[in-house]
């Protein structure tokens, strides 16, 4: 059994790991590198393996940093099967078509810039809509939580609910080689416990090897209850000042959780029912619809509420703005609106327009509720930049900036350790999906077995 690393190595994005066993080559995730512009080159670089030689991709979840290079993999020759849960497969369609569309727009913009400057040839997109569609055609069997299945002779997979986003999974692979069975668990992204919509992460009782994420391996989150309180206070303060509240949000999961929390806030009279809430993201609107089809992935009490016809994501003054014109119209509102828009790290999307219109106003508030990679606009604002550049304009940062990390979809150090310590028999733990200093902090706290922090391209014979 050979394990090699091809992304999210001493870094948080671009997840891609390869397992070679029982005569097959299996990728676990094939994500996009995200963050600064320089990473565009890294995404476009050749894979350090031949895509046509890969038999299977087992996909942990539909976040772009885990699935975003799949269309490229197909474009470059992959003809195997992609296996995921049915909720992940449905979200994948949304995420990859959107990603392809963004690549096409970026390429068109770059091409017209080059034409204006008398240069050629125009830049081609990393991949386009037909590539994304071809990739979706590779989706094969749907995995169900905790139902082991033989996906190839001698190879068994079991998907466990990772509690991170809808459909997310940790994947256990058991390989029969001769008369030996070896097992390896890929954590995917591990969820934060006690979240309102999803159940807690689960994992198998034992595995010979574990490949685990370490995003927040060096810190503890505030409790969700404290974070919700902080969220309501931030909203109350900004509305009292007459400002708008911007929430850069990830379209999957976070947007739905915030709708749930806002709903609870109104039901408990903590927030005013008159609050105008804009979900200004076509992808978040579609993801919200997908949520309601997959009750099997939700926390049982939330699923029961929906079955009884009570929509826990409904709000009296919720505006779903799919069309660009409706999004632009929000700019005319100077106060009292909650605007949720992507992207979560402010690297693109409609949030940038809203930031341009609100960031300089001291009565407004920006509430960050998710991870922001270094180099992103979100990170600059969080780190206290006095001015930022948006669409070539210098925008002063005068609004109040809140960072509420208890909403994180990722486990913190304590939860990661609890998750890992629940798995016995592990000979080695491979840390991925974390910044180097974070990994070291987590590594120091792991008590059993060998710990590795692989570098890109590194391979291990297990
Ligand atoms: Zn994720």
């Amino acid at each position: 059994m050979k394990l090699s690393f091809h992304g999210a190595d001493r870094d948080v994005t671009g997840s891609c790991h390869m397992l070679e066993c029982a005569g097959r080559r299996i990728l676990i995730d094939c994500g996009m590198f995200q963050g600064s512009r320089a990473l565009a080159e890294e995404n476009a670089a050749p894979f350090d393996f031949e895509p046509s030689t890969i038999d299977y991709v087992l996909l942990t979840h539909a976040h772009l940093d885990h699935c975003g290079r799949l269309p490229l993999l197909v474009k470059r020759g992959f003809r195997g099967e992609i296996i995921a849960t049915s909720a992940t497969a449905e979200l994948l369609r949304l995420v990859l078509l959107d990603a392809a569309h963004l690549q096409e727009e970026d390429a068109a913009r770059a091409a017209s810039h080059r034409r204006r400057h008398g240069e050629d040839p125009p830049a081609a997109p990393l991949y386009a809509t037909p590539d994304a569609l071809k990739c979706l055609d590779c989706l094969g069997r749907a995995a169900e939580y905790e139902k082991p299945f033989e996906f190839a002779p001698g190879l068994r997979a079991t998907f466990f609910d990772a509690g991170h986003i809808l459909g997310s999974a940790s994947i256990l692979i058991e390989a029969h080689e001769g008369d030996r069975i070896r097992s390896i668990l890929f954590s995917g992204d591990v969820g934060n416990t006690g979240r309102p919509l999803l159940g807690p992460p689960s994992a198998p009782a034992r595995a010979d090897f574990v490949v685990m994420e370490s995003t927040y391996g060096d810190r503890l989150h505030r409790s969700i209850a404290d974070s919700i309180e902080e969220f309501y206070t931030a909203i109350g303060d900004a509305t009292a000042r007459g400002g708008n509240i911007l929430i850069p949000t990830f379209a999957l999961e976070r947007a739905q959780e915030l709708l749930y929390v806002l709903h609870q806030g109104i039901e408990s009279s903590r927030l005013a029912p008159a609050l105008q809430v804009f979900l200004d993201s076509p992808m978040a609107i579609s993801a919200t619809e997908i949520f309601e089809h997959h009750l099997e992935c939700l926390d049982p009490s939330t699923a029961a509420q929906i079955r009884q016809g009570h929509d826990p994501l409904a709000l009296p003054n919720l505006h779903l703005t799919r069309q660009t014109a409706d999004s632009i119209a929000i700019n005319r509102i100077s106060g009292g609106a909650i605007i949720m828009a992507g992207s979560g790290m402010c690297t693109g999307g409609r949030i940038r327009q809203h930031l341009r219109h609100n960031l300089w106003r001291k009565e407004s508030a920006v509430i960050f509720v998710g991870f922001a990679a270094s180099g992103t606009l979100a990170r600059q604002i969080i780190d206290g930049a006095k001015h930022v550049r948006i669409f070539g304009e210098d925008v002063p940062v005068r609004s109040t900036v809140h960072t509420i990390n208890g909403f994180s979809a990722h486990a913190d150090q304590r939860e990661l350790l609890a998750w890992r310590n629940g798995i016995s028999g592990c000979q080695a733990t491979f840390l991925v999906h974390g910044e180097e200093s974070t990994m070291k902090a987590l590594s120091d706290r792991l008590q059993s077995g060998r710990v590795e922090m692989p570098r890109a391209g590194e391979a291990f014979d297990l």
Side-chain angles (χ1 to χ4, degrees):
M1 189 187 256
K2 188 175 160 195
L3 173 67
S4 55
F5 294 86
H6 308 274
D9 308 308
R10 302 194 180 206
D11 201 351
V12 277
T13 64
S15 278
C16 186
H17 322 302
M18 193 197 295
L19 189 65
E20 293 166 80
C21 57
R24 309 288 163 139
R25 300 185 104 191
I26 305 143
L27 282 191
I28 292 81
D29 294 345
C30 190
M32 195 173 267
F33 297 100
Q34 291 177 290
S36 68
R37 286 259 156 206
L39 293 174
E41 272 173 42
E42 208 169 331
N43 283 318
F47 290 102
D48 51 5
F49 49 82
E50 175 50 50
S52 64
T53 65
I54 306 296
D55 302 293
Y56 299 94
V57 177
L58 303 192
L59 181 62
T60 62
H61 66 290
H63 271 153
L64 210 55
D65 63 326
H66 291 257
C67 68
R69 281 188 297 163
L70 282 173
L72 195 62
L73 190 76
V74 175
K75 186 178 172 181
R76 293 179 181 171
F78 171 75
R79 293 293 175 268
E81 180 184 0
I82 301 174
I83 302 174
T85 63
S86 62
T88 295
E90 211 173 324
L91 290 172
L92 189 67
R93 183 171 190 84
L94 190 66
V95 168
L96 292 185
L97 290 175
D98 179 70
H101 180 67
L102 289 178
Q103 307 285 350
E104 287 164 347
E105 274 186 352
D106 269 1
R109 212 173 298 124
S112 82
H113 178 90
R114 291 176 76 90
R115 269 197 303 278
R116 278 198 306 279
H117 292 81
E119 297 167 18
D120 56 51
L126 189 60
Y127 53 81
T129 303
D131 302 310
L133 289 169
K134 215 164 150 189
C135 170
L136 292 166
D137 286 343
C138 295
L139 275 166
R141 288 161 287 183
E144 288 179 56
Y145 289 141
E146 305 199 20
K147 293 210 175 139
F149 62 100
E150 192 170 63
F151 64 97
L155 286 168
R156 216 155 73 123
T158 313
F159 284 53
F160 291 84
D161 187 352
H164 169 64
I165 65 165
L166 192 81
S168 66
S170 297
I171 304 174
L172 179 73
I173 298 176
E174 292 164 286
H176 293 243
E177 289 182 306
D179 51 5
R180 286 178 92 186
I181 302 177
R182 318 219 80 193
S183 58
I184 178 163
L185 177 68
F186 294 87
S187 71
D189 287 352
V190 179
N192 194 353
T193 45
R195 305 206 358 254
L197 289 173
L198 299 180
S202 65
R206 75 169 305 285
D208 295 319
F209 303 97
V210 174
V211 177
M212 77 180 278
E213 69 119 326
S214 51
T215 318
Y216 286 117
D218 62 344
R219 72 196 82 170
L220 300 176
H221 297 323
R222 289 193 71 182
S223 76
I224 297 216
D226 288 350
S227 301
I228 291 175
E229 197 45 45
E230 195 180 344
F231 184 62
Y232 292 159
T233 304
I235 291 172
D237 290 352
T239 39
R241 291 194 302 268
N244 289 324
I245 298 114
L246 306 192
I247 311 176
T249 184
F250 297 97
L252 310 186
E253 205 64 39
R254 194 59 41 81
Q256 292 77 35
E257 269 178 7
L258 293 177
L259 289 177
Y260 181 91
V261 168
L262 290 168
H263 173 101
Q264 296 289 99
I266 290 172
E267 290 229 311
S268 63
S269 306
R270 192 68 181 74
L271 298 174
L275 210 58
Q276 301 292 317
V277 181
F278 295 86
L279 185 57
D280 188 27
S281 158
M283 183 143 85
I285 297 167
S286 298
T288 306
E289 290 163 3
I290 293 174
F291 244 81
E292 327 236 302
H293 307 172
H294 288 281
L295 303 187
E296 80 281 3
C297 298
L298 302 185
D299 168 74
S301 67
T302 310
Q305 277 185 46
I306 298 175
R307 280 194 197 93
Q308 286 157 14
H310 176 82
D311 183 352
L313 307 184
L315 296 169
N317 288 299
L318 175 63
H319 309 277
L320 304 174
T321 47
R322 275 190 194 273
Q323 306 304 326
T324 311
D326 297 335
S327 172
I328 293 169
I330 301 171
N331 295 332
R332 292 200 291 269
I333 303 172
S334 60
I338 296 184
I339 306 160
M340 299 196 273
S343 68
M345 300 196 207
C346 309
T347 48
R350 294 177 176 179
I351 194 68
R352 292 170 75 92
Q353 282 294 356
H354 300 303
L355 286 167
R356 182 162 72 139
H357 283 273
N358 288 279
L359 210 47
W360 57 274
R361 302 173 60 221
K362 65 179 186 321
E363 61 274 28
S364 292
V366 188
I367 308 180
F368 290 98
V369 289
F371 182 80
S374 57
T376 59
L377 176 58
R379 184 72 164 256
Q380 288 171 35
I381 300 170
I382 290 169
D383 286 347
K386 296 276 174 275
H387 297 258
V388 290
R389 282 196 84 73
I390 303 175
F391 299 119
E393 243 178 69
D394 185 59
V395 181
V397 183
R398 295 197 194 106
S399 60
T400 310
V401 176
H402 304 265
T403 309
I404 304 182
N405 71 17
F407 286 117
S408 177
H410 285 272
D412 66 6
Q413 186 187 62
R414 186 175 41 220
E415 292 165 327
L416 284 171
L417 290 171
W419 181 89
R420 171 62 191 79
N421 290 336
I423 301 159
S424 66
C426 177
Q427 297 164 35
T429 305
F430 298 87
L431 296 182
V432 294
H433 203 289
E435 285 166 5
E436 199 166 330
S437 57
T438 309
M439 277 185 182
K440 286 199 172 119
L442 182 65
S443 163
D444 291 344
R445 302 291 302 273
L446 284 169
Q447 288 152 357
S448 58
R450 177 176 126 215
V451 181
E452 295 282 352
M453 295 187 282
R455 293 186 184 279
E458 208 172 338
F460 298 80
D461 266 314
L462 304 181

PDB file of all heavy atoms in Angstrom, residues 61 63 65-66 164-165 189 410 433, ligand 1:
ATOM      1  N   HIS A  61     -16.091  15.764   0.278  1.00  0.00           N
ATOM      2  CA  HIS A  61     -17.189  16.739   0.310  1.00  0.00           C
ATOM      3  C   HIS A  61     -17.046  17.749  -0.815  1.00  0.00           C
ATOM      4  O   HIS A  61     -16.039  17.770  -1.517  1.00  0.00           O
ATOM      5  CB  HIS A  61     -17.314  17.414   1.680  1.00  0.00           C
ATOM      6  CG  HIS A  61     -16.159  18.290   2.075  1.00  0.00           C
ATOM      7  ND1 HIS A  61     -14.915  17.793   2.386  1.00  0.00           N
ATOM      8  CD2 HIS A  61     -16.061  19.629   2.229  1.00  0.00           C
ATOM      9  CE1 HIS A  61     -14.108  18.794   2.713  1.00  0.00           C
ATOM     10  NE2 HIS A  61     -14.781  19.917   2.608  1.00  0.00           N
ATOM     11  N   HIS A  63     -16.718  21.052  -1.018  1.00  0.00           N
ATOM     12  CA  HIS A  63     -16.022  22.346  -0.985  1.00  0.00           C
ATOM     13  C   HIS A  63     -14.977  22.378  -2.101  1.00  0.00           C
ATOM     14  O   HIS A  63     -14.304  21.379  -2.368  1.00  0.00           O
ATOM     15  CB  HIS A  63     -15.313  22.545   0.360  1.00  0.00           C
ATOM     16  CG  HIS A  63     -16.186  23.196   1.397  1.00  0.00           C
ATOM     17  ND1 HIS A  63     -16.007  23.002   2.740  1.00  0.00           N
ATOM     18  CD2 HIS A  63     -17.229  24.053   1.274  1.00  0.00           C
ATOM     19  CE1 HIS A  63     -16.907  23.723   3.402  1.00  0.00           C
ATOM     20  NE2 HIS A  63     -17.669  24.354   2.535  1.00  0.00           N
ATOM     21  N   ASP A  65     -12.034  23.511  -2.328  1.00  0.00           N
ATOM     22  CA  ASP A  65     -10.641  23.128  -2.039  1.00  0.00           C
ATOM     23  C   ASP A  65     -10.485  21.607  -1.914  1.00  0.00           C
ATOM     24  O   ASP A  65      -9.382  21.114  -1.689  1.00  0.00           O
ATOM     25  CB  ASP A  65     -10.094  23.860  -0.796  1.00  0.00           C
ATOM     26  CG  ASP A  65     -10.835  23.518   0.474  1.00  0.00           C
ATOM     27  OD1 ASP A  65     -12.051  23.290   0.410  1.00  0.00           O
ATOM     28  OD2 ASP A  65     -10.204  23.478   1.550  1.00  0.00           O
ATOM     29  N   HIS A  66     -11.583  20.872  -2.078  1.00  0.00           N
ATOM     30  CA  HIS A  66     -11.527  19.402  -2.101  1.00  0.00           C
ATOM     31  C   HIS A  66     -11.963  18.825  -3.453  1.00  0.00           C
ATOM     32  O   HIS A  66     -11.638  17.690  -3.769  1.00  0.00           O
ATOM     33  CB  HIS A  66     -12.381  18.808  -0.970  1.00  0.00           C
ATOM     34  CG  HIS A  66     -11.788  19.080   0.371  1.00  0.00           C
ATOM     35  ND1 HIS A  66     -11.102  18.135   1.103  1.00  0.00           N
ATOM     36  CD2 HIS A  66     -11.715  20.235   1.089  1.00  0.00           C
ATOM     37  CE1 HIS A  66     -10.646  18.687   2.220  1.00  0.00           C
ATOM     38  NE2 HIS A  66     -11.010  19.957   2.235  1.00  0.00           N
ATOM     39  N   HIS A 164     -19.286  18.200   8.758  1.00  0.00           N
ATOM     40  CA  HIS A 164     -18.622  19.452   8.338  1.00  0.00           C
ATOM     41  C   HIS A 164     -19.538  20.295   7.451  1.00  0.00           C
ATOM     42  O   HIS A 164     -19.777  21.468   7.739  1.00  0.00           O
ATOM     43  CB  HIS A 164     -17.325  19.058   7.628  1.00  0.00           C
ATOM     44  CG  HIS A 164     -16.629  20.145   6.901  1.00  0.00           C
ATOM     45  ND1 HIS A 164     -16.097  21.244   7.538  1.00  0.00           N
ATOM     46  CD2 HIS A 164     -16.367  20.314   5.574  1.00  0.00           C
ATOM     47  CE1 HIS A 164     -15.530  22.030   6.627  1.00  0.00           C
ATOM     48  NE2 HIS A 164     -15.684  21.496   5.437  1.00  0.00           N
ATOM     49  N   ILE A 165     -20.024  19.720   6.371  1.00  0.00           N
ATOM     50  CA  ILE A 165     -21.078  20.359   5.565  1.00  0.00           C
ATOM     51  C   ILE A 165     -22.033  19.246   5.133  1.00  0.00           C
ATOM     52  O   ILE A 165     -21.740  18.060   5.332  1.00  0.00           O
ATOM     53  CB  ILE A 165     -20.558  21.117   4.302  1.00  0.00           C
ATOM     54  CG1 ILE A 165     -19.923  20.148   3.295  1.00  0.00           C
ATOM     55  CG2 ILE A 165     -19.605  22.222   4.695  1.00  0.00           C
ATOM     56  CD1 ILE A 165     -19.733  20.767   1.903  1.00  0.00           C
ATOM     57  N   ASP A 189     -12.672  17.046   5.938  1.00  0.00           N
ATOM     58  CA  ASP A 189     -12.721  18.111   6.937  1.00  0.00           C
ATOM     59  C   ASP A 189     -13.644  17.661   8.056  1.00  0.00           C
ATOM     60  O   ASP A 189     -14.757  17.205   7.798  1.00  0.00           O
ATOM     61  CB  ASP A 189     -13.231  19.417   6.305  1.00  0.00           C
ATOM     62  CG  ASP A 189     -12.184  20.059   5.400  1.00  0.00           C
ATOM     63  OD1 ASP A 189     -11.033  19.576   5.380  1.00  0.00           O
ATOM     64  OD2 ASP A 189     -12.522  21.037   4.710  1.00  0.00           O
ATOM     65  N   HIS A 410     -15.238  23.731  11.044  1.00  0.00           N
ATOM     66  CA  HIS A 410     -14.109  22.857  11.362  1.00  0.00           C
ATOM     67  C   HIS A 410     -13.986  22.634  12.862  1.00  0.00           C
ATOM     68  O   HIS A 410     -14.173  23.559  13.657  1.00  0.00           O
ATOM     69  CB  HIS A 410     -12.789  23.494  10.902  1.00  0.00           C
ATOM     70  CG  HIS A 410     -12.592  23.439   9.426  1.00  0.00           C
ATOM     71  ND1 HIS A 410     -11.995  22.374   8.804  1.00  0.00           N
ATOM     72  CD2 HIS A 410     -12.915  24.307   8.455  1.00  0.00           C
ATOM     73  CE1 HIS A 410     -11.946  22.601   7.505  1.00  0.00           C
ATOM     74  NE2 HIS A 410     -12.499  23.767   7.263  1.00  0.00           N
ATOM     75  N   HIS A 433      -3.826  19.640   5.381  1.00  0.00           N
ATOM     76  CA  HIS A 433      -4.850  20.674   5.448  1.00  0.00           C
ATOM     77  C   HIS A 433      -4.671  21.565   6.675  1.00  0.00           C
ATOM     78  O   HIS A 433      -5.579  21.737   7.490  1.00  0.00           O
ATOM     79  CB  HIS A 433      -6.235  20.004   5.464  1.00  0.00           C
ATOM     80  CG  HIS A 433      -7.362  20.882   4.984  1.00  0.00           C
ATOM     81  ND1 HIS A 433      -7.838  21.940   5.709  1.00  0.00           N
ATOM     82  CD2 HIS A 433      -8.109  20.829   3.863  1.00  0.00           C
ATOM     83  CE1 HIS A 433      -8.839  22.504   5.045  1.00  0.00           C
ATOM     84  NE2 HIS A 433      -9.015  21.861   3.923  1.00  0.00           N
TER      85      HIS A 433
HETATM   86 ZN1  LIG B   1     -14.450  21.804   3.694  1.00  0.00          ZN
END
